[in-house]
Amino acid sequence: MSTDESRIRIVWVYPDLLSTYGDRGNVLILARRAEQRRLPVETMEVRSDQPVPRSADIYLIGGGEDGPQALAAQRLAADGTLRASAESGSVIFAICAGYQLLGHSFFAKGVQCPGLGLLDLHSDRGPTRAVGELAGDIDPRLGLPPLSGFENHGGRTHLGRGVNPLARVTTGVGNDGTTEGAWFGKTLGTYSHGPALARNPALADLLLRWAIGADRLPPLDDTWPDRLRAERRAAVAAPAGRP
Amino acid sequence: MTGRRRSAQAGAGRASGTLAVVPDAKLPLRAKVASQVSRTAAALSRAAGRGDGSVIGGWIGLKIDPDLLKHLATGRQVALVSGTNGKTTTTRLTAAAVGVLGDVATNSFGANMPSGHTSALAKAGATPYAVLEVDEHYLPQVLAATDPRAVALLNLSRDQLDRAKEVAMMAQLWRTTLANHPKVAVVANADDPMVVWAAVASPSVTWFSAGQRWHDDSWVCPECGSHIERAENQWWCTGCPLRRPEPQWVVEDDGVLDPLGHWHKVTLQLPGSVNIGNAATALAVAAQFGVRPIDAVPRLARVTSIAGRYAQVQRDGRIVRLLLAKNPASWLEAFDMAERAPTLLSINARDPDGRDTSWLYDVDFSPLADGRPVLITGDRAYDLAVRLEVNRVPFRHVTSFEDAVAAIPPGRLEVIANYSAFQDIRAELNRVN
């Protein structure tokens, strides 16, 4: 829980290294959806040469290229805060390269690199790059509508017994063509890259609920996100929907 | 002034007779046939209303003679212009500036791959000069084929990342290419760390400073991985000697300071401070050919719209102005150029745009939240709707360009659109140039 109980503290981890595809969107969307419920929020960006602040409510980790990904994993391991915070109940939401580095190991710049081991999974290189729409049915225990996103990654991720798949893939590749993403406790990772929460407002609300320990939040007017989701659903259903 | 001296240097650096252009008659037979077929195909494409005809002709020509571009470039003095943003405009401005010396062949429709270059040179016939816009991925091939006198490097930023090379890889590609062509005079942007890192591989660099609004692709040093600091117009790596070089050509107010310290007022018909920067680049490139800024500046003022960019069109009592914004950096520039007037934003995500709309969150749309009516349209208008809602920019969704025009009172309408959305609207306006 946060040191200042009156605010939800959101920390964007290493945007200087891990922010290739509009990752800032997730920070903006969480903050906006909290503010619309009159929940005070504080957002912070932490650069890779700065210490990661302790006990934030939500940590966000974005996507990135091989080199920055390996460097980020190294610095986060040396920093140690993320692990301690996860153990004390902070929420971690990680995208793509950020998701991979939460596992035991990942493949970057031609070698297998050690990850943070916060999620029981490891990643290697797939036969082809997965680029395109990504959709799937989310683990029913999370009570969310289907995942909708765009993926762009060369890795494949293999889940251990200590994590749950976030979703069963209906379109695209995700982890391996069958499952997509992973979650354990309040740590959740996905290959739905960039501003993943823009197309998944219910997932954004789940992260906020986890952060404040609420079973539900007042509903918002989601007319535009709903239209976007419907339009994307129709696009992936159509035969020409994928490039 | 500098012109005479540079001209002499340039002459010494090249084999004599560079100005003698090889006319079609002197092309090898295969190239001659290819060149002729290329021109015919381009004309057919235009006649069929299929486009500007600036790609198909060159494509066919290169099929017949793979060395056609090289043959067509032989005997011309060539400048190449590359970078993520501003290359079409800078190419047009540079062609206008070099035009002081004589006829210039140029690919002014933004067809910036070898097929487009081939078409442009074939269509132009014999000219002593050529100024070509080059897609950043194709710089190595086009540099090898055209043996240019000068190459201008404008900037590198994220652009259609689901298919393009990422920024650091592109900088590396340029760096390797320039190291292999030490005789080419490089004219490079001192304000972009990625460009500087690529350009310092060349022994011959002239630096220009045109300012840079977009910094989000150059916080990490491409040389050593350390953090890059910025203060005022300076930048420097905190871990190695890479830092902003002292520029010789500098934008100052509404003009350009040349290497001799003379300030030239630049009056353009193109909007925004970003185009003063493009003009500075054009003057710096033209100087490599011996053109004096004082002679080139009046010619820059005659450049109007470019392949529809910045075009103004009357439609039902509205004055519609078209601004192209292809990526986050160019959106920021478009906001700088647009007047505070009703504004239509149009977004597609077709192949030429990149299929991914994530970049919308790399752009801060809040400059539009100043009370002006904002309309949205395009294939991916809903992505934009969600983005604007998060950015607290009020908007109205319309399903066509026609509806947008009908939705605003007579007067100005600013249109900002990404690539294919821009082309759609341009087609509605009868392919305005």
Side-chain angles (χ1 to χ4, degrees):
Chain A
M1 281 285 105
S2 80
T3 46
D4 177 357
E5 291 290 338
S6 65
R7 286 168 183 273
I8 303 175
R9 289 176 75 214
I10 301 173
V11 170
W12 184 14
V13 178
Y14 296 177
D16 56 330
L17 295 177
L18 299 174
S19 168
T20 318
Y21 299 98
D23 298 275
R24 178 186 299 278
N26 296 320
V27 185
L28 299 175
I29 287 159
L30 282 175
R32 181 79 181 123
R33 295 185 75 82
E35 282 162 8
Q36 284 175 300
R37 271 89 172 222
R38 301 182 187 285
L39 299 168
V41 222
E42 181 188 341
T43 61
M44 270 183 82
E45 298 179 16
V46 181
R47 248 170 35 202
S48 61
D49 58 356
Q50 298 171 327
V52 178
R54 294 198 166 272
S55 312
D57 296 294
I58 305 178
Y59 295 90
L60 297 172
I61 314 174
E65 301 171 39
D66 275 20
Q69 180 189 21
L71 189 60
Q74 243 174 44
R75 292 187 181 173
L76 284 172
D79 179 275
T81 304
L82 216 49
R83 166 174 290 280
S85 298
E87 284 165 359
S88 65
S90 296
V91 177
I92 300 177
F93 179 57
I95 304 282
C96 212
Y99 164 48
Q100 290 181 352
L101 67 76
L102 292 185
H104 300 299
S105 70
F106 59 92
F107 193 83
K109 290 197 147 182
V111 293
Q112 204 68 22
C113 308
L116 300 180
L118 296 183
L119 288 174
D120 179 19
L121 52 86
H122 72 275
S123 306
D124 53 22
R125 189 65 72 192
T128 52
R129 201 167 172 84
V131 184
E133 292 289 322
L134 174 63
D137 296 320
I138 293 186
D139 188 338
R141 284 170 292 176
L142 295 175
L144 301 178
L147 183 78
S148 170
F150 191 94
E151 64 183 333
N152 182 356
H153 56 99
R156 295 295 183 272
T157 294
H158 312 282
L159 306 186
R161 289 187 183 167
V163 288
N164 314 294
L166 173 63
R168 296 273 156 199
V169 172
T170 52
T171 301
V173 176
N175 292 330
D176 56 4
T178 309
T179 67
E180 144 53 20
W183 69 283
F184 174 75
K186 295 182 190 171
T187 299
L188 193 152
T190 175
Y191 273 117
S192 174
H193 86 174
L197 301 179
R199 278 161 68 165
N200 299 282
L203 179 55
D205 286 354
L206 173 72
L207 302 176
L208 289 174
R209 286 194 281 117
W210 277 353
I212 64 173
D215 288 337
R216 44 194 308 214
L217 290 169
L220 298 177
D221 175 0
D222 278 331
T223 304
W224 295 107
D226 288 346
R227 284 187 190 174
L228 171 58
R229 287 172 59 81
E231 184 251 326
R232 287 292 87 203
R233 199 160 53 235
V236 296
R242 279 179 64 83
Chain B
M1 301 217 299
T2 44
R4 209 166 297 268
R5 188 163 53 82
R6 283 179 188 279
S7 174
Q9 276 176 350
R14 293 265 154 162
S16 59
T18 30
L19 291 178
V21 173
V22 180
D24 261 15
K26 287 192 190 159
L27 285 174
L29 180 61
R30 196 176 184 84
K32 202 151 83 182
V33 172
S35 172
Q36 188 55 49
V37 171
S38 164
R39 277 196 292 254
T40 309
L44 282 173
S45 166
R46 276 192 301 278
R50 291 304 196 80
D52 293 322
S54 44
V55 173
I56 185 73
W59 185 80
I60 293 174
L62 285 170
K63 285 275 167 212
I64 299 170
D65 177 6
D67 283 334
L68 183 57
L69 179 55
K70 189 174 182 178
H71 287 129
L72 288 168
T74 302
R76 298 185 218 244
Q77 298 192 61
V78 177
L80 305 180
V81 177
S82 196
T84 308
N85 289 321
K87 44 187 185 291
T88 302
T89 305
T90 305
T91 298
R92 175 63 73 92
L93 292 169
T94 305
V98 173
V100 167
L101 302 173
D103 288 344
V104 181
T106 184
N107 52 339
S108 51
F109 290 102
N112 59 18
M113 298 184 206
S115 51
H117 305 136
T118 305
S119 258
L121 295 185
K123 188 177 155 204
T127 63
Y129 301 96
V131 178
L132 300 176
E133 167 190 342
V134 184
D135 179 279
E136 42 293 16
H137 304 77
Y138 286 89
L139 194 62
Q141 290 98 304
V142 178
L143 220 145
T146 61
D147 187 23
R149 165 171 282 192
V151 53
L153 307 177
L154 307 182
N155 48 61
L156 283 174
S157 68
R158 61 189 69 183
D159 187 31
Q160 304 170 25
L161 278 167
D162 66 299
R163 66 193 184 96
K165 283 201 168 76
E166 300 185 55
V167 172
M169 287 169 70
M170 188 64 65
Q172 179 65 59
L173 178 73
W174 280 10
R175 189 172 157 93
T176 311
T177 304
L178 296 174
N180 291 335
H181 294 87
K183 286 185 185 158
V184 176
V186 176
V187 177
N189 185 354
D191 294 326
D192 186 330
M194 303 309 270
V195 167
V196 170
W197 181 70
V200 291
S202 164
S204 160
V205 189
T206 302
W207 302 105
F208 66 87
S209 166
Q212 198 191 26
R213 271 188 186 72
W214 178 260
H215 293 152
D216 282 356
D217 290 308
S218 51
W219 289 114
V220 177
C221 176
E223 177 69 28
C224 75
S226 300
H227 180 65
I228 287 178
E229 285 282 357
R230 285 189 166 84
E232 293 176 18
N233 61 0
Q234 297 294 319
W235 59 264
W236 61 94
C237 175
T238 53
C240 77
L242 192 72
R243 60 181 303 124
R244 178 178 182 263
E246 200 52 46
Q248 285 97 49
W249 295 80
V250 180
V251 170
E252 224 178 74
D253 304 323
D254 54 348
V256 175
L257 201 59
D258 75 16
L260 294 180
H262 296 138
W263 183 80
H264 307 272
K265 183 173 168 64
V266 173
T267 307
L268 296 177
Q269 297 189 48
L270 311 176
S273 59
V274 63
N275 279 320
I276 304 279
N278 291 334
T281 312
L283 294 175
V285 175
Q288 298 295 327
F289 291 75
V291 176
R292 299 184 309 169
I294 197 171
D295 297 327
V297 162
R299 298 180 66 95
L300 302 184
R302 286 180 228 150
V303 174
T304 54
S305 71
I306 294 136
R309 294 156 169 90
Y310 319 119
Q312 299 211 50
V313 185
Q314 298 271 353
R315 170 63 72 94
D316 303 334
R318 280 76 171 174
I319 306 156
V320 183
R321 180 162 63 174
L322 301 184
L323 298 169
L324 174 68
K326 300 178 294 185
N327 51 47
S330 66
W331 278 87
L332 298 189
E333 287 161 6
F335 295 154
D336 172 60
M337 294 178 207
E339 281 178 27
R340 189 177 161 184
T343 301
L344 173 67
L345 309 177
S346 184
I347 302 288
N348 290 346
R350 301 179 197 163
D351 278 334
D353 310 304
R355 293 269 171 184
D356 181 11
T357 55
S358 299
W359 58 268
L360 285 168
Y361 291 84
D362 288 327
V363 178
D364 179 10
F365 287 86
S366 57
L368 299 178
D370 58 0
R372 77 182 86 184
V374 174
L375 303 164
I376 64 169
T377 194
D379 298 350
R380 300 299 291 270
Y382 294 153
D383 293 76
L384 187 55
V386 172
R387 173 68 185 112
L388 292 178
E389 209 172 45
V390 173
N391 227 162
R392 300 175 199 225
V393 178
F395 62 88
R396 180 171 155 197
H397 177 232
V398 291
T399 50
S400 69
F401 177 69
E402 218 175 7
D403 287 354
V405 172
I408 60 146
R412 183 174 279 284
L413 173 64
E414 299 278 23
V415 177
I416 311 178
N418 71 345
Y419 190 78
S420 75
F422 183 91
Q423 299 305 341
D424 283 355
I425 291 171
R426 203 179 144 209
E428 291 218 26
L429 297 169
N430 304 320
R431 297 203 65 80
V432 57
N433 280 315

